[in-house]
Amino acid sequence: LESAAINTFLGDVANHIADAGCDPPALVPLPATPQRAKYDSLVLFTMTELDSQSLWIHRKHSDLSNVFGEAPVAVQEARRQFDHALDAMTDEIAEDENDTSNVEGRYLLPTGFSAVDTLFADCCFWAQQIGWLERSCGTPTDSSEEQLPKPLPPKLE
């Protein structure tokens, strides 16, 4: 959750600098706007549903099972939760595909790239590392063959 707070703080600082005459890209929408409400909603969803309730459950009960104990049922449920949360997030991207202000429907906010995209991408990379985003091309006939990753859909590139 700290990364969400840091990203938002830095975005707010950059917005303050922009008010002083500089023009950095707006990574965080201005406070008290509908865009900021959408941003906050997506950040909280990403950090609670994808990160805390899914990926960290896997980390604690798989990679750190010597500390937290093994809990295969919890890890299995965390994976199911991750899949549902991922569907919800990709629906957010798809929801605005026809909005011409959303750069080709590739970002979570219709205004374009923002700090919430970095948080979401981090969760996706983590999920891919643990095998929760399987992007393999077919099934190798020999276990020694390397599986090549499929490219992500255009919305997640």
Side-chain angles (χ1 to χ4, degrees), residues 1-12 15 26-47 89 92 96 108-120:
L1 294 173
E2 295 86 3
S3 57
I6 292 166
N7 281 352
T8 301
F9 172 77
L10 291 174
D12 285 341
N15 288 337
L27 293 176
V28 176
L30 294 173
T33 63
Q35 295 82 9
R36 181 59 168 261
K38 179 72 167 182
Y39 168 86
D40 287 341
S41 173
L42 291 170
V43 165
L44 290 170
F45 186 86
T46 300
M47 300 313 295
M89 289 297 282
E92 285 294 326
D96 292 322
L108 288 162
L109 294 179
T111 53
F113 180 77
S114 71
V116 73
D117 292 296
T118 64
L119 296 170
F120 179 55

Side-chain angles (χ1 to χ4, degrees), residues 45-122:
F45 186 86
T46 300
M47 300 313 295
T48 58
E49 301 300 323
L50 291 170
D51 191 315
S52 299
Q53 292 298 316
S54 301
L55 296 165
W56 265 106
I57 297 294
H58 175 275
R59 175 102 170 115
K60 287 170 67 173
H61 297 294
S62 290
D63 300 336
L64 300 174
S65 61
N66 61 327
V67 176
F68 296 100
E70 289 186 16
V73 173
V75 172
Q76 182 180 359
E77 182 59 25
R79 169 69 188 269
R80 190 187 68 75
Q81 166 62 23
F82 178 84
D83 290 342
H84 288 295
L86 181 63
D87 287 345
M89 289 297 282
T90 56
D91 286 348
E92 285 294 326
I93 296 170
E95 179 178 293
D96 292 322
E97 268 186 1
N98 296 323
D99 183 348
T100 57
S101 65
N102 185 351
V103 186
E104 299 177 32
R106 294 175 178 257
Y107 303 109
L108 288 162
L109 294 179
T111 53
F113 180 77
S114 71
V116 73
D117 292 296
T118 64
L119 296 170
F120 179 55
D122 183 56

